[in-house]
Amino acid sequence: MKILSIDEQIERMHSLWPDWKVTREDDRTAVWIGNLRPNKTSYRLRIFYRVPGLLENRTVKQVQPRVFVDTPKLRPNSKGELPHVYWPKGDPTGGEPCLCLFDPDHEWTICDYLAETTVPWSSTWLYWYEAWAVSANWFGPSRHEGEATDDGSHIKGFETEEV
């Protein structure tokens, strides 16, 4: 297994998602901005990704790409809940929610291309979000770290590093 460089990630994103704009922040970090329309609404997303250093001791959730919905903003229900998201700072009042693309049966790894995993998974997440917005039920998969079943429960969030 080979850790993909930021150059390889940028190249693959450009070839599969040419309309997405990339900003390379340094030799290991990039941010992509692009649009997805999984159903009725078009969303502008931002994907932040930093290739971990070889000697960094990081968990999967700390190195996974972070996907933010810039527009339209995700809207919580009347109880203030958003399904299947997490908060990078560990607190819903402390920042923007990230899409939870966690799947213990096929977790994203540093050997996966964002263009082939993160972008399509984000589109699927947004499809389920639209269904939730009209039905109040999350019909998509919703397993989270530490959960043994796919019960559709609301994630309370887990702490990761700030982005």
Side-chain angles (χ1 to χ4, degrees):
M1 290 179 29
K2 175 184 179 267
I3 297 173
L4 296 171
S5 70
I6 203 67
D7 289 330
E8 291 169 309
Q9 293 287 3
I10 290 170
E11 183 179 319
R12 183 64 59 96
M13 279 290 285
H14 179 71
S15 93
L16 295 181
W17 302 94
D19 292 338
W20 284 58
K21 305 298 181 216
V22 64
T23 301
R24 185 185 177 123
E25 296 191 348
D26 58 38
D27 63 336
R28 295 181 5 214
T29 309
V31 176
W32 290 266
I33 295 176
N35 296 306
L36 291 176
R37 185 182 178 121
N39 195 13
K40 299 210 182 262
T41 304
S42 180
Y43 298 89
R44 181 171 163 244
L45 275 68
R46 179 172 25 102
I47 299 174
F48 172 89
Y49 179 60
R50 178 182 172 100
V51 177
L54 289 175
L55 299 178
E56 291 178 355
N57 185 17
R58 304 277 185 205
T59 65
V60 170
K61 69 183 176 185
Q62 290 173 322
V63 299
Q64 69 186 356
R66 301 213 175 103
V67 181
F68 301 91
V69 178
D70 288 336
T71 59
K73 292 290 184 191
L74 299 176
R75 294 181 9 181
N77 64 15
S78 61
K79 297 176 187 175
E81 300 171 323
L82 279 172
H84 212 49
V85 298
Y86 70 95
W87 307 90
K89 296 180 184 179
D91 177 5
T93 63
E96 302 173 75
C98 290
L99 306 189
C100 181
L101 305 176
F102 177 78
D103 181 351
D105 295 329
H106 181 77
E107 182 57 64
W108 183 88
T109 74
I110 54 179
C111 304
D112 290 330
Y113 286 103
L114 304 175
E116 297 172 2
T117 57
T118 303
V119 175
W121 293 351
S122 297
S123 183
T124 300
W125 188 100
L126 291 166
Y127 177 84
W128 294 122
Y129 169 76
E130 286 188 26
W132 170 82
V134 296
S135 70
N137 291 309
W138 185 264
F139 296 105
S142 59
R143 290 168 53 165
H144 305 287
E145 183 178 54
E147 287 183 359
T149 63
D150 185 4
D151 65 0
S153 65
H154 174 74
I155 190 167
K156 294 178 181 168
F158 55 83
E159 291 190 35
T160 61
E161 281 187 6
E162 283 187 36
V163 289

